[in-house]
Amino acid sequence: MKQQAIFLSATQELTVSKTSTPEFYRLYKQSILLALQKEGFLTESQLQYVLFLLENER
């Protein structure tokens, strides 16, 4: 399965914080990492390692 950056649009006003919307922050970090890999700053193995760390930081 190919990793892709995800854009989520809000349909209502929400208070966004690290504690109230942890899924948003996780997806935001993931999107940044995918952009860095796309631009050539991360190799595929580096990306996979950091995504693994991101998934296990909970």
Side-chain angles (χ1 to χ4, degrees):
M1 181 168 81
K2 184 177 178 183
Q3 296 284 336
Q4 295 182 8
I6 299 172
F7 176 79
L8 300 175
S9 61
T11 58
Q12 58 187 5
E13 243 183 75
L14 299 172
T15 302
V16 176
S17 73
K18 194 172 185 175
T19 55
S20 68
T21 54
E23 183 67 8
F24 170 82
Y25 275 86
R26 186 187 67 76
L27 289 172
Y28 181 70
K29 289 178 188 178
Q30 182 181 7
S31 296
I32 292 170
L33 292 169
L34 290 167
L36 288 171
Q37 193 262 341
K38 183 178 179 181
E39 294 296 319
F41 292 103
L42 293 175
T43 65
E44 181 64 28
S45 61
Q46 289 171 324
L47 173 66
Q48 292 307 317
Y49 178 68
V50 179
L51 289 175
F52 172 78
L53 293 176
L54 182 62
E55 288 297 320
N56 292 300
E57 76 176 7
R58 298 176 200 188

